[in-house]
Amino acid sequence: MLLIPGPASRELGEEIARLAQLELGKLESKLFPDGESYLRLESNVERREVAIVQSTYPPQDRHIMQLLLMADNLKSLGASRTVAIIPYMAYARQDKRFLEGEAISIETILKMFKHAGIDEIITVNIHSPWILQHASISVTNLDATGLLARHSHNLGLSSPLIVSPGKKGEAMASVAAKEIGTDFAPVHSERDPHTGEVKIIVEADVKDRDVLFIDDIISTGGTAIKTVKTLKKLGARRIVVSCIHALMIGDADKKLLEVGAEKLVATNTIPNRYAEVSIAPLIAQYLKRER
Ligand code: R5P
């Protein structure tokens, strides 16, 4: 298998290739003055299985377009099979019609990837894993919760209570708690589809406890900020906030630190300043096992 890092994930792609002991392919990329992407494959891909690594963090549309260009180009240059490693899958949060007439973006995105010639997708903690059962393309969803929890635990928290919002968060918290041998508590978040307003209810006694907040994604930070505020009000001691996908839109990180988070920790599915945990070993291990 040849591995080609896309413009959005050069460093991560190189790390995966090194750990999985895969040959590294070469791709030239640049932006035209009008913002369109130019890509030129410099490796021979004829009759080869090729993995491309391209995360689709902001600017999502550009990174998706580059992924489509890469995949279609591979197909037309004779690659036998294309695997797309998409550490952060954009457009995954609109997975159903919350309001009548809305576009179900994740379905559209997956159809586009398939049409461009992608045979298989490997992603990490996709927002709605349940949609994958009926997806138009084979998607493997790897879970980085264990990696993140282990790293965060090593920061010196004392028997931290793990909290994570929502039903999916509860499952995530349970995985993290098992990983480091501690307990977890459900946190309910309710988002109003019209105003975006989020309400938080923590179902535990957090007084004088260290807390590890863990979530799949921090976007505007609204959910995490409200949870940290609630935890502080309830008397929590040290609070570390961690997430797999750190979008950190606007001042999300600054606000989190202001309301009482002691430290922020994230993975590198999206390049960010809190990326202390690399998901490269998780992906490399999967590639080695499956191939
Ligand atoms: C919700 O289902 C997710 O797990 C996150 O809690 C949420 O999407 C984060 O978004 P924001 O940072 O904008 O509150």
Side-chain angles (χ1 to χ4, degrees), residues 93 127 165 168 189 191 198 215-224:
R93 288 196 285 170
H127 187 73
K168 195 178 36 155
S189 66
R191 189 186 288 270
V198 181
D215 205 348
D216 61 341
I217 182 168
I218 295 182
S219 180
T220 63
T223 312

Side-chain angles (χ1 to χ4, degrees), residues 25-254:
K26 275 185 97 182
L27 179 83
E28 181 195 345
S29 70
K30 64 181 180 191
L31 290 179
F32 286 113
D34 62 359
E36 289 181 2
S37 296
Y38 167 93
L39 298 177
R40 178 171 165 262
L41 196 54
E42 295 178 5
S43 306
N44 183 3
V45 295
E46 232 180 311
R47 290 190 292 279
R48 293 203 66 180
E49 186 179 21
V50 181
I52 44 186
V53 185
Q54 173 84 348
S55 200
T56 54
Y57 57 87
Q60 296 90 331
D61 295 358
R62 170 174 295 160
H63 291 148
I64 287 171
M65 191 61 206
Q66 290 169 336
L67 181 55
L68 293 170
L69 290 173
M70 280 191 280
D72 192 47
N73 199 25
L74 283 174
K75 189 165 66 170
S76 82
L77 291 171
S80 60
R81 192 160 184 279
T82 299
V83 178
I85 298 167
I86 311 174
Y88 171 67
M89 180 77 80
Y91 286 101
R93 288 196 285 170
Q94 182 84 44
D95 57 358
K96 62 180 177 196
R97 284 196 175 97
F98 299 92
L99 299 174
E100 203 180 326
E102 284 180 341
I104 306 172
S105 59
I106 185 62
E107 285 185 2
T108 309
I109 289 295
L110 293 178
K111 281 183 212 160
M112 281 162 59
F113 290 157
K114 185 177 178 181
H115 192 71
I118 293 173
D119 298 289
E120 182 191 348
I121 292 173
I122 299 168
T123 190
V124 178
N125 292 82
I126 192 167
H127 187 73
S128 322
W130 50 89
I131 59 118
L132 300 179
Q133 289 161 9
H134 309 291
S136 51
I137 183 167
S138 149
V139 184
T140 299
N141 181 38
L142 300 177
D143 185 7
T145 305
L147 276 179
L148 188 62
R150 263 199 310 280
H151 177 86
S152 308
H153 183 51
N154 289 340
L155 297 171
L157 292 177
S158 157
S159 309
L161 176 76
I162 313 283
V163 301
S164 182
K167 270 221 163 349
K168 195 178 36 155
E170 198 171 331
M172 211 176 166
S174 137
V175 170
K178 203 165 162 199
E179 186 70 36
I180 59 178
T182 184
D183 54 340
F184 69 97
V187 172
H188 304 302
S189 66
E190 290 164 6
R191 189 186 288 270
D192 184 311
H194 296 278
T195 61
E197 182 73 21
V198 181
K199 259 201 303 195
I200 303 291
I201 304 131
V202 182
E203 281 189 14
D205 181 6
V206 297
K207 190 151 176 45
D208 294 329
R209 293 245 3 222
D210 285 356
V211 178
L212 172 59
F213 172 95
I214 190 161
D215 205 348
D216 61 341
I217 182 168
I218 295 182
S219 180
T220 63
T223 312
I225 290 166
K226 289 199 172 188
T227 308
V228 171
K229 276 187 180 168
T230 307
L231 288 166
K232 275 280 164 201
K233 242 189 248 163
L234 295 172
R237 210 165 44 159
R238 302 173 59 195
I239 304 172
V240 169
V241 170
S242 69
C243 68
I244 310 283
H245 309 297
L247 280 172
M248 299 290 177
I249 304 300
D251 282 345
D253 50 349
K254 201 171 141 231

